[in-house]
Amino acid sequence: MAASTGKAFDFNLFKRLLAYTRAYKWTFYFVAIAAVLLSLLGVMRPYLLQITIDESIVPQDNDQLLFFISLMAGVLVLEVIFQFCFIYFANWLGQEVIRDIRVNLFKHMLQFKMKYFDNSAVGRLVTRAVSDIETIASIFSEGLFMIISDLLKMAVVLAFMFYQSWRLTLLVLVVLPFILYATRVFQKKMKVAFEEVRTQVANLNTFVQERITGMKIVQLFTREQKEYENFKEINDKHRKGWIKTVWYNSIFFPIAEMSTSITIGLIVWYGGLQVMGGSEAVTLGVIVAFVELTQMLFRPLRQIADKFNTLQMGMVAANRVFGILDTQASIADEGTVVVDHLKGEIEFEEVRFSYVGDEEVLKGVSFKAKPGETVAIVGATGAGKSTIINLLNRSYEISSGRILLDGIDVKDMTLKSLRSEIAIVLQDVFLFADTILNNITLNDPKITKETVVAAAREIGVDEFIASLPGGYDYNVKERGVMLSSGQRQLIAFLRAYVSNPSILVLDEATSSVDSYSEQLIQDATDKVTQGRTSIVIAHRLATVKKADKILVMDAGKIVEMGTHKELLKKEDGYYKNLYEVQFMQEEETL
């Protein structure tokens, strides 16, 4: 990719970016035509200035002077009109393109499997989706078309200069190769510098996002000073990246300005000698026109270097964005079976899975849950309990074996229909910065407010929702910080309940709530699990005892299986030992 090759410009990447303009080809063509017209109109001004001096000022013809002044005013008006159209529609095109790219990027990211997000920093992804894509817009607004316009203007200027005086033009061309070489070196140096800037911006975003999200931990463990020092170090690297770009600009632009001044001096010197010598080929008007034409020739060169920097920065950003778009990290959604309502039979057949390499988390897990059964999974941390849930709805792909729902392999089902049949309540509840109602329905138009209110009454959580300012319209803010952990858990449970799932999954859903909230959830669990298959990962005895079947896991394997009473009868059994260590104390306090 362009970011790693060190090339000043990657045409394949550029062609790919231009493909997004096809939907707006007429605007693209209009901007290109405006660029051509601007180059022609730009040359007309010094030409009109030349003939104004030679044909009206020198011979002192007032009528001619007024005529040429009027012509210059008309050209200026046209130039202003086309400049406005050029700038407006170039920026409009850029915004349309980045809108489409951003939509494609977000849609692509929505399909990524959880493993991708496990290994990717949130701050970097936010940088790609927001600031990097904004940078791409500058390719069209300040880069591509501006460079085309400047190149056309330079070509027209050179042609006109040769037409007017090839001797004076050669003086200009003596200095031109030096400017071109300096511009080329400048472009390459700025390419590397901008790549470093974008990298440091991503690092800065990642650091700030993580520390703000985890501010509670930072303060509880008095890490303020250490994180402050870390931030200063990262921020300093970001500053050094930008200083490097400033350094290159500080060198290049004075050199370019000095070269322009030297060239103008040569023109005035040589042209003045020609005029004083009585030459008819070089007039006072030609010298004045060449001074302006030289600036028109060299100024775009300086601007092209600057705009090429903008173009390169946009290309670096495009390279990063396309890197995500090219990432194939989606769950293969090749199933054709659309399930409408499952009976709820679950079967794992010799399922093996690993998050990293060959480190297996599940080692040949097999079990079967009949429709309507409640299956509890117990075991030590890291035994593989939550992994079973992650595989059930295909958040991760299994390494081998099969997972069947109602006898159908989950890989044969469409992802949408599969996941719509399974509702999950996690221990770590995530709520969006939105109203309680929208957090429950997730903006599903099929779920009405009346349905939500009725479900809340059944569960018994409507009272606490009604007590909040605005009730169901209460904004819980980012991650639901305005609610207690127990209240967030109730909202998550209600979210699962109203989706009317065929299979309900509770991943330690009551492990971090108070007794009152737990009782509400237990009551609601009894209602929602009626007629539904439920998988419960729990540390609380009440849930485990009520289960129709208990799976006891250890080191990725099911070591015991049975009901609560059956497992307690096993002498020196894993579940019995777990019960005596953990559950018996809890039972004594009930």
Side-chain angles (χ1 to χ4, degrees):
M1 303 294 284
S4 59
T5 60
K7 294 188 293 183
F9 194 77
D10 190 324
F11 282 98
N12 291 328
L13 182 65
F14 187 62
K15 282 171 59 180
R16 183 174 179 184
L17 190 61
L18 281 183
Y20 281 89
T21 66
R22 289 173 187 165
Y24 316 101
K25 60 181 181 181
W26 295 113
T27 303
F28 184 90
Y29 295 151
F30 176 79
V31 174
I33 292 171
V36 174
L37 292 174
L38 280 172
S39 65
L40 296 174
L41 290 169
V43 174
M44 285 186 67
R45 283 190 289 106
Y47 174 66
L48 287 172
L49 180 61
Q50 172 194 327
I51 60 177
T52 299
I53 294 172
D54 290 340
E55 297 182 19
S56 62
I57 295 177
V58 173
Q60 298 183 2
D61 188 334
N62 291 333
D63 294 335
Q64 283 282 77
L65 178 62
L66 184 60
F67 173 72
F68 287 127
I69 292 297
S70 299
L71 275 180
M72 283 193 285
V75 169
L76 183 61
V77 170
L78 286 175
E79 195 171 2
V80 169
I81 291 172
F82 280 105
Q83 189 76 30
F84 165 77
C85 294
F86 176 80
I87 294 173
Y88 176 80
F89 285 104
N91 279 275
W92 181 90
L93 181 63
Q95 291 301 316
E96 293 296 313
V97 167
I98 66 167
R99 179 195 64 185
D100 294 344
I101 294 176
R102 185 178 280 126
V103 167
N104 288 345
L105 178 66
F106 189 71
K107 182 180 179 181
H108 190 62
M109 289 168 60
L110 285 174
Q111 311 304 318
F112 283 165
K113 60 184 75 172
M114 287 300 104
K115 186 175 181 179
Y116 178 85
F117 297 105
D118 293 342
N119 299 324
S120 302
V122 174
R124 289 182 182 275
L125 295 179
V126 171
T127 300
R128 301 295 176 263
V130 181
S131 60
D132 277 347
I133 289 184
E134 284 296 335
T135 305
I136 292 174
S138 63
I139 291 177
F140 299 94
S141 60
E142 302 172 36
L144 171 65
F145 291 116
M146 291 291 188
I147 290 174
I148 292 173
S149 178
D150 286 344
L151 288 174
L152 284 171
K153 188 178 292 184
M154 289 170 61
V156 174
V157 165
L158 270 176
F160 181 74
M161 290 173 78
F162 267 110
Y163 172 75
Q164 289 291 77
S165 174
W166 64 268
R167 290 183 178 86
L168 290 178
T169 305
L170 288 179
L171 282 176
V172 175
L173 293 180
V174 168
V175 182
L176 189 61
F178 175 74
I179 294 292
L180 290 173
Y181 175 76
T183 302
R184 180 67 174 172
V185 172
F186 179 64
Q187 290 168 356
K188 288 185 176 180
K189 294 293 184 181
M190 290 299 285
K191 168 79 171 178
V192 176
F194 278 137
E195 287 176 13
E196 184 177 343
V197 167
R198 296 312 302 167
T199 299
Q200 296 306 327
V201 167
N203 290 340
L204 195 61
N205 284 347
T206 299
F207 184 89
V208 172
Q209 188 272 335
E210 287 182 345
R211 269 55 185 186
I212 290 177
T213 303
M215 188 59 70
K216 185 174 182 179
I217 299 299
V218 171
Q219 294 182 353
L220 285 174
F221 287 87
T222 63
R223 297 284 296 175
E224 294 94 335
Q225 185 61 33
K226 182 62 178 177
E227 296 303 336
Y228 170 70
E229 296 297 332
N230 291 339
F231 178 79
K232 282 176 61 178
E233 182 178 345
I234 294 174
N235 193 42
D236 190 54
K237 289 180 180 178
H238 177 258
R239 180 190 63 84
K240 287 178 180 177
W242 274 111
I243 289 295
K244 192 174 292 185
T245 68
V246 173
W247 167 252
Y248 293 138
N249 278 292
S250 301
I251 294 174
F252 174 76
F253 285 103
I255 291 175
E257 193 66 36
M258 182 179 65
S259 301
T260 303
S261 300
I262 291 172
T263 306
I264 291 174
L266 290 173
I267 290 171
V268 173
W269 169 73
Y270 181 77
L273 291 177
Q274 294 295 308
V275 171
M276 288 186 290
S279 172
E280 295 181 2
V282 180
T283 64
L284 183 61
V286 169
I287 293 175
V288 174
F290 258 76
V291 169
E292 187 168 351
L293 287 167
T294 300
Q295 291 177 328
M296 290 179 64
L297 182 66
F298 282 15
R299 188 185 306 120
L301 266 179
R302 299 197 302 271
Q303 291 176 347
I304 282 176
D306 194 34
K307 290 163 188 172
F308 203 90
N309 294 338
T310 301
L311 180 61
Q312 285 183 322
M313 203 163 184
M315 294 291 284
V316 170
N319 183 59
R320 296 175 185 273
V321 170
F322 286 139
I324 297 179
L325 284 170
D326 291 338
T327 300
Q328 298 302 317
S330 303
I331 295 289
D333 190 8
E334 299 172 352
T336 57
V337 179
V338 178
V339 291
D340 185 23
H341 188 74
L342 295 171
K343 294 178 181 177
E345 182 181 85
I346 303 172
E347 186 171 3
F348 275 54
E349 293 182 353
E350 287 296 317
V351 172
R352 293 182 176 273
F353 172 76
S354 60
Y355 289 104
V356 182
D358 297 328
E359 300 176 15
E360 283 193 333
V361 179
L362 295 186
K363 305 171 182 178
V365 171
S366 298
F367 71 90
K368 188 172 184 178
K370 297 177 182 179
E373 274 191 339
T374 296
V375 177
I377 306 177
V378 299
T381 300
K385 305 186 298 296
S386 296
T387 301
I388 288 179
I389 293 172
N390 291 333
L391 299 180
L392 186 62
N393 65 359
R394 295 190 68 197
S395 292
Y396 298 83
E397 293 281 35
I398 62 176
S399 303
S400 63
R402 289 202 306 168
I403 301 175
L404 307 174
L405 297 181
D406 287 4
I408 306 170
D409 195 316
V410 293
K411 290 185 178 180
D412 295 332
M413 301 177 183
T414 62
L415 274 177
K416 184 176 180 180
S417 64
L418 166 65
R419 291 174 178 173
S420 65
E421 292 297 309
I422 303 171
I424 300 178
V425 179
L426 300 173
Q427 179 183 6
D428 184 17
V429 177
F430 186 94
L431 297 181
F432 296 95
D434 206 336
T435 64
I436 286 182
L437 180 63
N438 288 340
N439 268 290
I440 294 169
T441 65
L442 296 178
N443 293 302
D444 186 344
K446 297 177 184 177
I447 305 175
T448 65
K449 184 175 181 178
E450 290 72 22
T451 303
V452 174
V453 173
R457 285 173 181 161
E458 288 182 44
I459 297 176
V461 300
D462 59 315
E463 290 185 8
F464 109 77
I465 296 176
S467 68
L468 297 172
Y472 287 88
D473 295 322
Y474 179 68
N475 194 310
V476 300
K477 305 300 181 184
E478 187 176 2
R479 293 180 175 268
V481 295
M482 303 304 290
L483 302 177
S484 69
S485 58
Q487 290 172 330
R488 289 197 297 269
Q489 202 75 59
L490 289 169
I491 295 300
F493 195 90
L494 187 54
R495 175 197 290 169
Y497 185 33
V498 298
S499 66
N500 193 28
S502 300
I503 298 172
L504 179 67
V505 178
L506 304 178
D507 186 356
E508 302 186 1
T510 62
S511 63
S512 61
V513 300
D514 55 65
S515 300
Y516 177 71
S517 297
E518 181 183 359
Q519 187 58 52
L520 289 176
I521 292 177
Q522 289 292 349
D523 294 341
T525 302
D526 293 339
K527 295 177 182 178
V528 76
T529 54
Q530 291 176 6
R532 290 186 177 90
T533 307
S534 302
I535 295 181
V536 182
I537 298 175
H539 287 167
R540 301 294 178 99
L541 177 63
T543 305
V544 176
K545 289 178 69 175
K546 290 180 182 178
D548 299 303
K549 184 183 297 181
I550 300 172
L551 307 181
V552 185
M553 297 195 66
D554 182 41
K557 296 180 179 180
I558 296 177
V559 293
E560 292 176 359
M561 186 184 307
T563 64
H564 174 69
K565 291 182 179 179
E566 290 171 349
L567 293 175
L568 285 180
K569 293 178 180 178
K570 293 187 177 182
E571 289 297 327
D572 201 28
Y574 190 102
Y575 179 80
K576 186 177 181 180
N577 292 333
L578 182 67
Y579 171 78
E580 290 175 349
V581 172
Q582 180 178 341
F583 293 149
M584 190 173 288
Q585 273 188 338
E586 182 183 340
E587 191 171 38
E588 289 173 355
T589 61
L590 294 177

